[in-house]
Amino acid sequence: MAMGTGRSRKASQQQVPQMSQSQQAMDVPQVQQHHFIEVRGAEFSYDADAKGRDIRDAKGRDGRRNGDKRDSRDGRDAEVRNVLNSVDLMLDKGQICCLMGVNGCGKSTLIDCILGVNHITAGSIEINGVPQHQMKPHELARLVSYVPQVHDRAFPYLVKDVVLMGRTAYQSQFSSPDDNDKQIAMQSLRQCGIEHLADRPYTQLSGGEMQMVLLARSLAQNAPFIIMDEPTAHLDFKNELMFMETVTSLVADSGIGVLVATHSPNQSFFFESCGLDVTAALMADGKICKRGKPSEVLNTESLRNIYGIEAKVLSTDLEDGRHLSQIALVSTAKAGEGDGSSQ
């Protein structure tokens, strides 16, 4: 009986097939990876009467496409014009994405949709794996902060108080900033190199100083991602460079993510030369038509197609070991060779 049992066990062992490594891997549950910000198939439309009213039903979208009709205020049908057309954009912490394109291509509209100012009419936007439209304002503010192009300086708040406003997302309705909030605000000023401006009235600052204060305010939110809408549009060369150097340090040292809309493609080359993980996203006709590393995406052909210009990309090796490319403008493109569309 014992011998028979042994032969039976041996036979059973021979009949059991060995699983390959690929088969074993298939049995391991796969964890789905999420980008920090995911924009998928996003569309956004305004009424044709240009009054700025977004078209949406009670659920936040109605699925209309270009050319669809909608009753206008005077009872006549009005054509719906999509400002965003099936936009896909994936953003992560520790990266910089430079969003570029001509005026009116949809850059600021896309930013407003991510921030919840506009409500997309189709598609989806997720922040850290959560549908953005399900998030409360303070929840979104703890994940994404914002640096605008311009800011109204109507009241002479002290700089430190303006930066302290970045802590609003962490306070209840009737609470006041505590000592920890004030310490975070001062630390944000130090990170931006403007601690000496803390007691200056905000209304007395230069344009460059104001943008650094707005950056410090966004840092005070302790959000892992910052969105910037043409933050250097009104700055001189030195202040623009100081701003970019500060952003470079923040991404490199703190690992935050940045989406910046810019009219200066050279900024993406600068960030890339600093060794950062940089993506250039070129936008036209309400969609992102080209995306990749600046050194791969920005060239004579793409600049002609997007901006309608003739330009050359020049490169040089710097004394500190960096390789830097810059765009030299030549002329506007000849008729028919580029009109700012995606072609």
Side-chain angles (χ1 to χ4, degrees), residues 91-295:
L91 305 168
D92 287 300
K93 293 181 288 185
Q95 300 177 345
I96 294 182
C97 178
C98 295
L99 186 63
M100 293 172 271
V102 298
N103 292 327
C105 71
K107 299 187 300 297
S108 294
T109 299
L110 175 58
I111 285 176
D112 285 344
C113 287
I114 296 175
L115 294 172
V117 177
N118 293 332
H119 301 268
I120 56 175
T121 55
S124 64
I125 298 176
E126 291 189 357
I127 312 292
N128 201 27
V130 179
Q132 178 250 45
H133 68 275
Q134 295 180 2
M135 304 177 72
K136 297 179 180 178
H138 74 273
E139 294 173 335
L140 180 58
R142 293 180 182 184
L143 294 175
V144 180
S145 61
Y146 175 60
V147 177
Q149 179 184 156
V150 293
H151 186 252
D152 187 10
R153 297 180 285 183
F155 300 100
Y157 294 111
L158 297 181
V159 165
K160 61 185 179 183
D161 293 328
V162 173
V163 176
L164 190 58
M165 293 176 187
R167 302 298 301 163
T168 302
Y170 299 91
Q171 299 166 12
S172 61
Q173 185 173 3
F174 299 105
S175 65
S176 300
D178 57 22
D179 290 340
N180 181 59
D181 293 321
K182 295 175 182 178
Q183 291 175 6
I184 292 174
M186 292 305 298
Q187 175 61 25
S188 299
L189 286 167
R190 284 192 289 271
Q191 283 183 276
C192 294
I194 54 173
E195 185 180 9
H196 62 285
L197 298 177
D199 293 313
R200 286 268 302 276
Y202 184 59
T203 51
Q204 297 179 10
L205 301 182
S206 68
E209 291 171 334
M210 182 186 71
Q211 286 304 102
M212 296 301 289
V213 171
L214 294 177
L215 179 58
R217 185 184 66 176
S218 72
L219 292 179
Q221 287 182 225
N222 277 348
F225 204 95
I226 301 177
I227 293 180
M228 308 179 183
D229 191 2
E230 300 179 28
T232 62
H234 304 291
L235 304 187
D236 59 41
F237 281 151
K238 182 178 180 180
N239 281 302
E240 178 184 5
L241 184 56
M242 289 176 60
F243 190 91
M244 291 192 297
E245 288 175 339
T246 303
V247 172
T248 298
S249 297
L250 292 173
V251 175
D253 299 338
S254 304
I256 63 173
V258 174
L259 170 64
V260 54
T262 177
H263 280 302
S264 176
N266 284 333
Q267 291 183 358
S268 65
F269 282 133
F270 174 84
F271 292 133
E272 188 177 38
S273 75
C274 295
L276 300 179
D277 186 353
V278 185
T279 296
L282 306 186
M283 200 167 183
D285 299 328
K287 58 187 176 183
I288 294 175
C289 57
K290 204 164 188 179
R291 186 175 187 271
K293 295 183 179 299
S295 54

Side-chain angles (χ1 to χ4, degrees), residues 39-44 65 82 84-89 122-123 285-288:
V39 180
R40 297 184 183 277
E43 298 190 2
F44 177 77
R65 298 293 190 270
N82 272 7
L84 300 181
N85 295 289
S86 298
V87 172
D88 293 318
L89 185 62
D285 299 328
K287 58 187 176 183
I288 294 175

